Amino acid sequence: MTGQGQAAGARNVPDSISVLLDVSRVFLALAVAGAHWTQSYFQPDWPDLTIFGVAAVGGFFVLSGYTIRMIYPDGNSFDEGRYYVDRLSRLWSVALPALVATICLDAVSRYAAPDFYMSNWGGEADHPIFRIFANAGFLTQIWGYSIYPLSNSPFWSLGYEAAFYLMYGLYLSRRYMLLGLTALLLGPNILFMAVVWIGGAALYDVYSRKERRTGTGIRLFVAGGAVAVMGLAAVDLNGFAETIRQVIDVFFGTLHVDPARVSVSLVLPSIAALAVFAWVFWALDLYGERIAVPDRLKAIARKVGDATFPIYLFHFPIFVCVAALGLYDVHSTWQKLAVFVCVIGVTFLITPWTNVLKDILRRRLRSGVGYVRLRFA
């Protein structure tokens, strides 16, 4: 869910990889939104595909690790203040407007259809100020606790994403003691899924990092491991899933912590995404620079890639509001498809404004960081 146009410019990323990242991210965001639209809150006829939305989040974690490692590959010239400003401005530029939109849309939903709203999201509507501020600070997934901002449940993954950014920044700045303390405070849920994020970062080091290229043997070993994982899953998917479930149960059972969002439906697709992208990035390592990507395709990919984060954070409260207002026939396939397309269209219209806000936040935060440095130098 992170923008990587900056990375493409700063790291001389091959066009093929840049387009792949943009298209993959928006595809995953659409998968999440589409899966949510099949939930029984919004229609009674289609099968509930929520599990595919959860699976898409695992793919996001892999691509996030790869992308952030690509932008910030090492700590030799690492500017800690600039890193945190860039990450925070990126998150807040969409998260803050999405939280405001959630408050407004949920107020309309609760007024228009109080029974519908309270029966489905009433449990997330208590202590709204606390919930909003906790999600604005991304402190929502610590030690097995989940704090949702009213109906906007997709926000949960930002509690993981922001934590990954924080820990990676501490790693690059070589603050290892503080990194250990932070990991302890964040808890085992975030650390468990951090393995997936680190795996995505490792894929960059193995297949795409030109200035410190890994040996052919390592690249073959990782590709072979990916084949083995996919082979095990293909031969006995249920057994593979059961093994993952047992690992989760033992890990969290030993610590007496609720796994919460860490489930087979998240971990298994995350492993699959690591395996698939290992092969994709290897192929692009071998042939990517030979692929001529038309400028028009790059521009389109960039534009749709920019919409990834708005799609992800805005769609759900809009769905809730549209359903509460009864603006469509829940049994009409064409109307449901039309509503979905319109909601996605709205998120694309929001995207340029979030980019403007990102630039404003970045300037303001950088000036604040600069002042603090001068003040305490």
Side-chain angles (χ1 to χ4, degrees):
M1 289 173 283
T2 57
Q4 41 91 10
Q6 170 191 6
R11 304 294 306 168
N12 294 320
V13 182
D15 291 338
S16 54
I17 291 182
S18 180
V19 170
L20 170 71
L21 292 174
D22 282 330
V23 172
S24 297
R25 290 185 304 120
V26 78
F27 173 80
L28 292 171
L30 290 171
V32 171
H36 286 156
W37 190 229
T38 68
Q39 292 178 336
S40 59
Y41 311 132
F42 309 121
Q43 53 79 40
D45 302 322
W46 293 346
D48 188 333
L49 302 178
T50 303
I51 189 172
F52 293 102
V54 176
V57 174
F60 272 130
F61 288 164
V62 173
L63 291 181
S64 173
Y66 180 96
T67 304
I68 297 302
R69 183 65 170 172
M70 176 174 65
I71 302 173
Y72 309 97
D74 55 50
N76 294 331
S77 58
F78 180 63
D79 185 329
E80 186 177 8
R82 190 181 187 90
Y83 168 81
Y84 288 124
V85 163
D86 288 348
R87 292 301 93 211
L88 190 57
S89 60
R90 174 56 179 154
L91 290 170
W92 269 352
S93 67
V94 182
L96 295 183
L99 288 171
V100 172
T102 301
I103 294 170
C104 297
L105 292 167
D106 276 30
V108 173
S109 301
R110 187 169 180 174
Y111 177 80
D115 291 340
F116 166 72
Y117 183 86
M118 293 304 293
S119 63
N120 291 308
W121 298 284
E124 315 304 337
D126 62 327
H127 309 296
I129 296 176
F130 168 74
R131 290 179 178 277
I132 294 301
F133 276 94
N135 278 272
F138 313 110
L139 302 172
T140 59
Q141 296 293 316
I142 295 174
W143 280 90
Y145 291 94
S146 293
I147 304 170
Y148 302 112
L150 308 177
S151 71
N152 202 340
S153 56
F155 255 84
W156 71 266
S157 68
L158 267 65
Y160 284 82
E161 191 82 9
F164 299 155
Y165 295 163
L166 174 59
M167 291 190 291
Y168 186 64
L170 293 173
Y171 167 75
L172 287 185
S173 59
R174 298 182 174 89
R175 298 174 182 264
Y176 301 126
M177 290 291 290
L178 186 56
L179 173 59
L181 179 60
T182 300
L184 180 63
L185 292 175
L186 291 172
N189 305 67
I190 288 172
L191 294 180
F192 193 96
M193 293 309 302
V195 175
V196 174
W197 195 91
I198 293 169
L203 289 182
Y204 173 76
D205 280 355
V206 172
Y207 291 117
S208 306
R209 189 167 182 174
K210 304 302 183 184
E211 70 272 21
R212 196 168 70 194
R213 192 172 178 83
T214 56
T216 302
I218 294 177
R219 298 202 298 277
L220 287 172
F221 177 79
V222 173
V227 171
V229 168
M230 290 187 287
L232 287 172
V235 170
D236 186 7
L237 181 59
N238 291 333
F240 195 65
E242 182 58 30
T243 299
I244 294 173
R245 181 177 292 106
Q246 290 175 3
V247 170
I248 293 172
D249 290 344
V250 170
F251 181 79
F252 289 97
T254 302
L255 298 172
H256 302 287
V257 176
D258 183 358
R261 283 288 182 169
V262 180
S263 63
V264 174
S265 59
L266 175 62
V267 176
L268 177 57
S270 299
I271 295 172
L274 281 169
V276 169
F277 281 115
W279 274 87
V280 170
F281 288 126
W282 189 26
L284 290 178
D285 175 47
L286 294 174
Y287 306 109
E289 294 185 355
R290 307 178 195 175
I291 300 174
V293 180
D295 290 339
R296 183 170 180 79
L297 177 59
K298 287 188 289 185
I300 293 173
R302 178 71 261 148
K303 186 172 289 291
V304 298
D306 279 347
T308 298
F309 205 9
I311 291 172
Y312 187 82
L313 287 188
F314 279 93
H315 74 273
F316 201 86
I318 301 177
F319 286 167
V320 173
C321 192
V322 169
L325 293 172
L327 298 181
Y328 64 99
D329 180 353
V330 297
H331 298 291
S332 170
T333 297
W334 290 111
Q335 288 189 35
K336 288 184 287 189
L337 289 174
V339 169
F340 180 78
V341 171
C342 288
V343 170
I344 298 303
V346 168
T347 63
F348 271 87
L349 293 175
I350 293 170
T351 298
W353 296 100
T354 65
N355 288 335
V356 171
L357 180 58
K358 177 180 66 178
D359 293 337
I360 294 172
L361 287 169
R362 182 177 290 146
R363 288 196 300 270
R364 296 291 177 84
L365 290 170
R366 282 180 180 172
S367 63
V369 169
Y371 172 78
V372 170
R373 284 177 173 172
L374 289 173
R375 180 71 175 80
F376 295 99

